[in-house]
Amino acid sequence: MDFTPTEEQTAARELVARIFGDLATHERLVTVGTGSDMELWKALCAAGLVGAVEDVGLLGLVLLLEEQGRTTAQVPFAASCVYGLLTVGAHGSREQQGRLLPGIRDGSAVVSGALPAVGGVRASERGELTGTVPLVPWLRDATHVLVPDERRRLWLVRAADAGCEPVESTAPWAAGRLTLDGTPGELLGTPDAYEDVLATARTAFAGLQAGVCAGSLARAVAHTNSREQFGRPLAVKQVVQLRAADAYMDTEAIRVTVYEAAWRRDQGLPYAKQALTAAWWASEAGQRVVHAGQHLHGGTGADLEHPVHRHFLWGRQLDAYLGCGSEVLEELGELIVSDAEESRGARGAWGTERAEEAGGTRGTTVTGGLPALEELEALEGSQEVRRYEDR
């Protein structure tokens, strides 16, 4: 694995960091309130940063979302890139790509997603959707919504055709309640597309969490270095240093697991387990980091108007979005068990014939479980032995 950013990824990251740094200031965020900063969104789209995601891949998107997380910039960047650009690009037909992608690239179309599937949306044979999704982040900004039905098929719905009731959550994500009542939907991809889109979304939002944590920790470091107690900076206290060090290690754990999952997707490799691992770290470690960031600010951290409180709210929302730690850990365990059972089944299907073909030794039987030592010796150099060594 090589996580070294390409020239294109580095250039895009530097540009988005400059735009977020200039426009997503604390004063501007206070003025925007709980909605999205659409002027900032226009600036991102005008710079070509949404369309650039097609070239820099999921790993490049993760790098860009880290910069958004550092500033908690209130734009539907992650949602529209994941549920719109990457999903349509990977699973849409040529006709759908030609019709939908230009608007998503220039920001005139914004896509949100009603994921994960809650089982409350039903689709008729004519493609009419009925059901309610209680909370959809960035729904108030969306022109389209990606909606999974009870069979986990993906449908693209025009927001104008559906009901949207504003909902305020602790994080300012312009969320809404989605109501579908015979709403026409456009089928997108095959039934297998849902798992890929959910894994992509978990990876991307875990990257956003890495940025939120990095921003929270940076604010805590600056505060403890400038705040003095008994004539000495708080940062010289060992307990402060240890708390900050733990937060730093948690942040790095989120980042490296996210990079692995994103890199594997870009390389066309299986990445479902890696995406779940990244999501678990983003949930479990993410909440530890934002709690530490607020704690290290002391009484200032309890101020609802302080910038670090915004990181705390984002971190806690991302902790639960797309599945909290215990949920994704259970899902990861089930996936590991399922893969192990499939592997055992494949080993049991080898039989004598496969052993004879592989090693040229008649009478060698490999049927389930790990082969005995003499069987491995008989199969030395074969493809099957190399498979065991890889494991």
mmCIF file of all heavy atoms in Angstrom, residues 343-379:
data_model
loop_
_atom_site.group_PDB
_atom_site.id
_atom_site.type_symbol
_atom_site.label_atom_id
_atom_site.label_comp_id
_atom_site.label_asym_id
_atom_site.label_seq_id
_atom_site.Cartn_x
_atom_site.Cartn_y
_atom_site.Cartn_z
ATOM 1 N N SER A 343 -14.370 -19.694 2.985
ATOM 2 C CA SER A 343 -13.031 -20.242 2.774
ATOM 3 C C SER A 343 -12.973 -21.714 3.143
ATOM 4 O O SER A 343 -12.370 -22.524 2.435
ATOM 5 C CB SER A 343 -12.002 -19.455 3.600
ATOM 6 O OG SER A 343 -11.935 -18.115 3.184
ATOM 7 N N ARG A 344 -13.616 -22.055 4.270
ATOM 8 C CA ARG A 344 -13.640 -23.474 4.664
ATOM 9 C C ARG A 344 -14.378 -24.302 3.638
ATOM 10 O O ARG A 344 -13.979 -25.418 3.316
ATOM 11 C CB ARG A 344 -14.281 -23.626 6.047
ATOM 12 C CG ARG A 344 -13.397 -23.192 7.196
ATOM 13 C CD ARG A 344 -13.914 -23.735 8.518
ATOM 14 N NE ARG A 344 -15.218 -23.188 8.834
ATOM 15 C CZ ARG A 344 -15.409 -22.075 9.541
ATOM 16 N NH1 ARG A 344 -14.357 -21.382 9.968
ATOM 17 N NH2 ARG A 344 -16.617 -21.630 9.799
ATOM 18 N N GLY A 345 -15.458 -23.750 3.090
ATOM 19 C CA GLY A 345 -16.204 -24.470 2.067
ATOM 20 C C GLY A 345 -15.385 -24.681 0.819
ATOM 21 O O GLY A 345 -15.418 -25.737 0.191
ATOM 22 N N ALA A 346 -14.599 -23.664 0.458
ATOM 23 C CA ALA A 346 -13.744 -23.793 -0.724
ATOM 24 C C ALA A 346 -12.662 -24.831 -0.503
ATOM 25 O O ALA A 346 -12.339 -25.617 -1.395
ATOM 26 C CB ALA A 346 -13.127 -22.434 -1.063
ATOM 27 N N ARG A 347 -12.086 -24.854 0.717
ATOM 28 C CA ARG A 347 -11.048 -25.851 1.000
ATOM 29 C C ARG A 347 -11.637 -27.249 0.979
ATOM 30 O O ARG A 347 -11.016 -28.183 0.502
ATOM 31 C CB ARG A 347 -10.401 -25.561 2.359
ATOM 32 C CG ARG A 347 -9.535 -24.318 2.375
ATOM 33 C CD ARG A 347 -8.617 -24.331 3.576
ATOM 34 N NE ARG A 347 -9.346 -24.268 4.828
ATOM 35 C CZ ARG A 347 -9.655 -23.135 5.455
ATOM 36 N NH1 ARG A 347 -9.333 -21.968 4.901
ATOM 37 N NH2 ARG A 347 -10.288 -23.137 6.609
ATOM 38 N N GLY A 348 -12.865 -27.388 1.489
ATOM 39 C CA GLY A 348 -13.488 -28.700 1.513
ATOM 40 C C GLY A 348 -13.835 -29.213 0.131
ATOM 41 O O GLY A 348 -14.013 -30.400 -0.074
ATOM 42 N N ALA A 349 -13.931 -28.297 -0.838
ATOM 43 C CA ALA A 349 -14.305 -28.694 -2.198
ATOM 44 C C ALA A 349 -13.106 -29.085 -3.049
ATOM 45 O O ALA A 349 -13.255 -29.437 -4.212
ATOM 46 C CB ALA A 349 -15.066 -27.551 -2.877
ATOM 47 N N TRP A 350 -11.899 -28.996 -2.490
ATOM 48 C CA TRP A 350 -10.723 -29.331 -3.295
ATOM 49 C C TRP A 350 -10.776 -30.791 -3.775
ATOM 50 O O TRP A 350 -10.745 -31.060 -4.945
ATOM 51 C CB TRP A 350 -9.437 -29.135 -2.475
ATOM 52 C CG TRP A 350 -9.083 -27.714 -2.278
ATOM 53 C CD1 TRP A 350 -9.696 -26.621 -2.786
ATOM 54 C CD2 TRP A 350 -7.996 -27.232 -1.494
ATOM 55 N NE1 TRP A 350 -9.085 -25.485 -2.387
ATOM 56 C CE2 TRP A 350 -8.032 -25.823 -1.581
ATOM 57 C CE3 TRP A 350 -7.005 -27.836 -0.730
ATOM 58 C CZ2 TRP A 350 -7.102 -25.023 -0.940
ATOM 59 C CZ3 TRP A 350 -6.093 -27.034 -0.090
ATOM 60 C CH2 TRP A 350 -6.129 -25.648 -0.199
ATOM 61 N N GLY A 351 -10.837 -31.690 -2.807
ATOM 62 C CA GLY A 351 -10.902 -33.113 -3.132
ATOM 63 C C GLY A 351 -9.588 -33.669 -3.654
ATOM 64 O O GLY A 351 -8.619 -32.982 -3.874
ATOM 65 N N THR A 352 -9.597 -34.980 -3.879
ATOM 66 C CA THR A 352 -8.391 -35.667 -4.341
ATOM 67 C C THR A 352 -7.959 -35.193 -5.709
ATOM 68 O O THR A 352 -6.768 -35.043 -5.984
ATOM 69 C CB THR A 352 -8.658 -37.187 -4.373
ATOM 70 O OG1 THR A 352 -9.077 -37.592 -3.090
ATOM 71 C CG2 THR A 352 -7.404 -37.943 -4.781
ATOM 72 N N GLU A 353 -8.953 -34.925 -6.595
ATOM 73 C CA GLU A 353 -8.597 -34.549 -7.952
ATOM 74 C C GLU A 353 -7.781 -33.262 -7.962
ATOM 75 O O GLU A 353 -6.779 -33.158 -8.672
ATOM 76 C CB GLU A 353 -9.860 -34.380 -8.795
ATOM 77 C CG GLU A 353 -10.643 -35.671 -9.004
ATOM 78 C CD GLU A 353 -11.469 -36.038 -7.785
ATOM 79 O OE1 GLU A 353 -11.539 -35.221 -6.851
ATOM 80 O OE2 GLU A 353 -12.023 -37.139 -7.778
ATOM 81 N N ARG A 354 -8.193 -32.237 -7.176
ATOM 82 C CA ARG A 354 -7.460 -30.990 -7.157
ATOM 83 C C ARG A 354 -6.056 -31.198 -6.618
ATOM 84 O O ARG A 354 -5.101 -30.598 -7.078
ATOM 85 C CB ARG A 354 -8.187 -29.956 -6.288
ATOM 86 C CG ARG A 354 -9.492 -29.462 -6.880
ATOM 87 C CD ARG A 354 -9.236 -28.604 -8.131
ATOM 88 N NE ARG A 354 -8.313 -27.522 -7.863
ATOM 89 C CZ ARG A 354 -8.666 -26.365 -7.313
ATOM 90 N NH1 ARG A 354 -9.918 -26.147 -6.965
ATOM 91 N NH2 ARG A 354 -7.761 -25.413 -7.124
ATOM 92 N N ALA A 355 -5.940 -32.070 -5.599
ATOM 93 C CA ALA A 355 -4.617 -32.331 -5.036
ATOM 94 C C ALA A 355 -3.711 -32.986 -6.063
ATOM 95 O O ALA A 355 -2.529 -32.670 -6.173
ATOM 96 C CB ALA A 355 -4.742 -33.223 -3.798
ATOM 97 N N GLU A 356 -4.257 -33.938 -6.851
ATOM 98 C CA GLU A 356 -3.451 -34.602 -7.864
ATOM 99 C C GLU A 356 -2.998 -33.611 -8.923
ATOM 100 O O GLU A 356 -1.865 -33.632 -9.375
ATOM 101 C CB GLU A 356 -4.258 -35.738 -8.495
ATOM 102 C CG GLU A 356 -4.518 -36.894 -7.536
ATOM 103 C CD GLU A 356 -5.424 -37.937 -8.160
ATOM 104 O OE1 GLU A 356 -5.930 -37.681 -9.275
ATOM 105 O OE2 GLU A 356 -5.641 -38.975 -7.537
ATOM 106 N N GLU A 357 -3.924 -32.685 -9.327
ATOM 107 C CA GLU A 357 -3.569 -31.704 -10.344
ATOM 108 C C GLU A 357 -2.498 -30.763 -9.830
ATOM 109 O O GLU A 357 -1.588 -30.376 -10.566
ATOM 110 C CB GLU A 357 -4.807 -30.904 -10.742
ATOM 111 C CG GLU A 357 -5.866 -31.732 -11.443
ATOM 112 C CD GLU A 357 -7.134 -30.931 -11.659
ATOM 113 O OE1 GLU A 357 -7.115 -29.724 -11.323
ATOM 114 O OE2 GLU A 357 -8.121 -31.487 -12.139
ATOM 115 N N ALA A 358 -2.607 -30.378 -8.546
ATOM 116 C CA ALA A 358 -1.694 -29.370 -8.011
ATOM 117 C C ALA A 358 -0.309 -29.936 -7.743
ATOM 118 O O ALA A 358 0.692 -29.340 -8.110
ATOM 119 C CB ALA A 358 -2.265 -28.783 -6.710
ATOM 120 N N GLY A 359 -0.237 -31.086 -7.110
ATOM 121 C CA GLY A 359 1.066 -31.591 -6.697
ATOM 122 C C GLY A 359 1.529 -32.816 -7.436
ATOM 123 O O GLY A 359 2.672 -33.241 -7.277
ATOM 124 N N GLY A 360 0.657 -33.423 -8.234
ATOM 125 C CA GLY A 360 1.060 -34.608 -8.969
ATOM 126 C C GLY A 360 1.194 -35.831 -8.087
ATOM 127 O O GLY A 360 1.785 -36.816 -8.478
ATOM 128 N N THR A 361 0.656 -35.793 -6.871
ATOM 129 C CA THR A 361 0.768 -36.919 -5.949
ATOM 130 C C THR A 361 -0.583 -37.595 -5.833
ATOM 131 O O THR A 361 -1.529 -36.998 -5.326
ATOM 132 C CB THR A 361 1.216 -36.444 -4.559
ATOM 133 O OG1 THR A 361 2.448 -35.742 -4.705
ATOM 134 C CG2 THR A 361 1.383 -37.599 -3.613
ATOM 135 N N ARG A 362 -0.701 -38.803 -6.348
ATOM 136 C CA ARG A 362 -1.969 -39.518 -6.305
ATOM 137 C C ARG A 362 -2.270 -39.966 -4.879
ATOM 138 O O ARG A 362 -1.382 -40.314 -4.128
ATOM 139 C CB ARG A 362 -1.930 -40.730 -7.248
ATOM 140 C CG ARG A 362 -1.753 -40.324 -8.711
ATOM 141 C CD ARG A 362 -1.843 -41.512 -9.639
ATOM 142 N NE ARG A 362 -1.703 -41.100 -11.029
ATOM 143 C CZ ARG A 362 -2.701 -40.630 -11.756
ATOM 144 N NH1 ARG A 362 -3.907 -40.539 -11.221
ATOM 145 N NH2 ARG A 362 -2.499 -40.277 -13.011
ATOM 146 N N GLY A 363 -3.560 -39.945 -4.544
ATOM 147 C CA GLY A 363 -3.987 -40.441 -3.245
ATOM 148 C C GLY A 363 -3.943 -39.399 -2.151
ATOM 149 O O GLY A 363 -4.259 -39.722 -1.022
ATOM 150 N N THR A 364 -3.540 -38.174 -2.476
ATOM 151 C CA THR A 364 -3.522 -37.117 -1.466
ATOM 152 C C THR A 364 -4.894 -36.460 -1.424
ATOM 153 O O THR A 364 -5.390 -35.990 -2.436
ATOM 154 C CB THR A 364 -2.468 -36.055 -1.799
ATOM 155 O OG1 THR A 364 -1.204 -36.703 -1.902
ATOM 156 C CG2 THR A 364 -2.421 -34.981 -0.724
ATOM 157 N N THR A 365 -5.514 -36.448 -0.275
ATOM 158 C CA THR A 365 -6.850 -35.892 -0.146
ATOM 159 C C THR A 365 -6.815 -34.664 0.751
ATOM 160 O O THR A 365 -6.274 -34.712 1.849
ATOM 161 C CB THR A 365 -7.824 -36.929 0.463
ATOM 162 O OG1 THR A 365 -7.816 -38.082 -0.373
ATOM 163 C CG2 THR A 365 -9.228 -36.355 0.552
ATOM 164 N N VAL A 366 -7.384 -33.541 0.244
ATOM 165 C CA VAL A 366 -7.492 -32.320 1.036
ATOM 166 C C VAL A 366 -8.965 -31.979 1.095
ATOM 167 O O VAL A 366 -9.566 -31.578 0.132
ATOM 168 C CB VAL A 366 -6.709 -31.159 0.379
ATOM 169 C CG1 VAL A 366 -6.753 -29.931 1.261
ATOM 170 C CG2 VAL A 366 -5.275 -31.572 0.112
ATOM 171 N N THR A 367 -9.596 -32.189 2.209
ATOM 172 C CA THR A 367 -11.056 -32.019 2.300
ATOM 173 C C THR A 367 -11.487 -31.087 3.402
ATOM 174 O O THR A 367 -11.536 -31.068 4.032
ATOM 175 C CB THR A 367 -11.727 -33.352 2.559
ATOM 176 O OG1 THR A 367 -11.202 -33.927 3.738
ATOM 177 C CG2 THR A 367 -11.546 -34.311 1.423
ATOM 178 N N GLY A 368 -11.396 -30.138 3.742
ATOM 179 C CA GLY A 368 -11.891 -29.368 4.889
ATOM 180 C C GLY A 368 -10.855 -29.223 5.962
ATOM 181 O O GLY A 368 -10.058 -30.100 6.188
ATOM 182 N N GLY A 369 -10.814 -28.067 6.593
ATOM 183 C CA GLY A 369 -9.826 -27.812 7.624
ATOM 184 C C GLY A 369 -8.455 -27.614 7.008
ATOM 185 O O GLY A 369 -8.270 -27.647 5.812
ATOM 186 N N LEU A 370 -7.453 -27.413 7.839
ATOM 187 C CA LEU A 370 -6.087 -27.230 7.352
ATOM 188 C C LEU A 370 -5.477 -28.583 6.990
ATOM 189 O O LEU A 370 -5.676 -29.568 7.710
ATOM 190 C CB LEU A 370 -5.231 -26.554 8.422
ATOM 191 C CG LEU A 370 -5.568 -25.092 8.708
ATOM 192 C CD1 LEU A 370 -4.765 -24.622 9.920
ATOM 193 C CD2 LEU A 370 -5.277 -24.219 7.512
ATOM 194 N N PRO A 371 -4.716 -28.671 5.895
ATOM 195 C CA PRO A 371 -4.091 -29.942 5.527
ATOM 196 C C PRO A 371 -3.052 -30.367 6.557
ATOM 197 O O PRO A 371 -2.450 -29.536 7.232
ATOM 198 C CB PRO A 371 -3.416 -29.618 4.182
ATOM 199 C CG PRO A 371 -4.067 -28.370 3.691
ATOM 200 C CD PRO A 371 -4.473 -27.626 4.918
ATOM 201 N N ALA A 372 -2.845 -31.668 6.642
ATOM 202 C CA ALA A 372 -1.802 -32.181 7.525
ATOM 203 C C ALA A 372 -0.438 -31.860 6.936
ATOM 204 O O ALA A 372 -0.296 -31.507 5.771
ATOM 205 C CB ALA A 372 -1.967 -33.692 7.688
ATOM 206 N N LEU A 373 0.625 -32.014 7.770
ATOM 207 C CA LEU A 373 1.965 -31.661 7.342
ATOM 208 C C LEU A 373 2.380 -32.447 6.111
ATOM 209 O O LEU A 373 2.929 -31.890 5.154
ATOM 210 C CB LEU A 373 2.955 -31.905 8.487
ATOM 211 C CG LEU A 373 4.434 -31.623 8.177
ATOM 212 C CD1 LEU A 373 4.611 -30.164 7.762
ATOM 213 C CD2 LEU A 373 5.302 -31.960 9.390
ATOM 214 N N GLU A 374 2.121 -33.774 6.104
ATOM 215 C CA GLU A 374 2.538 -34.569 4.960
ATOM 216 C C GLU A 374 1.781 -34.169 3.696
ATOM 217 O O GLU A 374 2.300 -34.256 2.582
ATOM 218 C CB GLU A 374 2.324 -36.079 5.245
ATOM 219 C CG GLU A 374 0.887 -36.474 5.573
ATOM 220 C CD GLU A 374 0.611 -36.364 7.060
ATOM 221 O OE1 GLU A 374 1.410 -35.694 7.754
ATOM 222 O OE2 GLU A 374 -0.388 -36.951 7.522
ATOM 223 N N GLU A 375 0.555 -33.693 3.873
ATOM 224 C CA GLU A 375 -0.205 -33.257 2.715
ATOM 225 C C GLU A 375 0.382 -31.965 2.157
ATOM 226 O O GLU A 375 0.454 -31.762 0.934
ATOM 227 C CB GLU A 375 -1.660 -33.059 3.099
ATOM 228 C CG GLU A 375 -2.363 -34.366 3.440
ATOM 229 C CD GLU A 375 -3.703 -34.133 4.103
ATOM 230 O OE1 GLU A 375 -3.941 -32.986 4.536
ATOM 231 O OE2 GLU A 375 -4.501 -35.069 4.192
ATOM 232 N N LEU A 376 0.808 -31.075 3.047
ATOM 233 C CA LEU A 376 1.443 -29.837 2.595
ATOM 234 C C LEU A 376 2.741 -30.127 1.866
ATOM 235 O O LEU A 376 3.079 -29.482 0.869
ATOM 236 C CB LEU A 376 1.708 -28.912 3.787
ATOM 237 C CG LEU A 376 0.483 -28.241 4.400
ATOM 238 C CD1 LEU A 376 0.897 -27.448 5.638
ATOM 239 C CD2 LEU A 376 -0.193 -27.331 3.398
ATOM 240 N N GLU A 377 3.498 -31.116 2.370
ATOM 241 C CA GLU A 377 4.747 -31.469 1.707
ATOM 242 C C GLU A 377 4.474 -32.010 0.305
ATOM 243 O O GLU A 377 5.200 -31.731 -0.654
ATOM 244 C CB GLU A 377 5.500 -32.502 2.535
ATOM 245 C CG GLU A 377 6.036 -31.938 3.859
ATOM 246 C CD GLU A 377 6.638 -33.017 4.737
ATOM 247 O OE1 GLU A 377 6.409 -34.214 4.433
ATOM 248 O OE2 GLU A 377 7.324 -32.682 5.718
ATOM 249 N N ALA A 378 3.402 -32.781 0.189
ATOM 250 C CA ALA A 378 3.057 -33.325 -1.114
ATOM 251 C C ALA A 378 2.618 -32.242 -2.083
ATOM 252 O O ALA A 378 2.791 -32.364 -3.291
ATOM 253 C CB ALA A 378 1.934 -34.357 -0.974
ATOM 254 N N LEU A 379 2.045 -31.163 -1.540
ATOM 255 C CA LEU A 379 1.543 -30.083 -2.384
ATOM 256 C C LEU A 379 2.514 -28.912 -2.456
ATOM 257 O O LEU A 379 2.150 -27.825 -2.880
ATOM 258 C CB LEU A 379 0.207 -29.570 -1.829
ATOM 259 C CG LEU A 379 -0.946 -30.571 -1.863
ATOM 260 C CD1 LEU A 379 -2.136 -29.980 -1.127
ATOM 261 C CD2 LEU A 379 -1.339 -30.900 -3.279
#
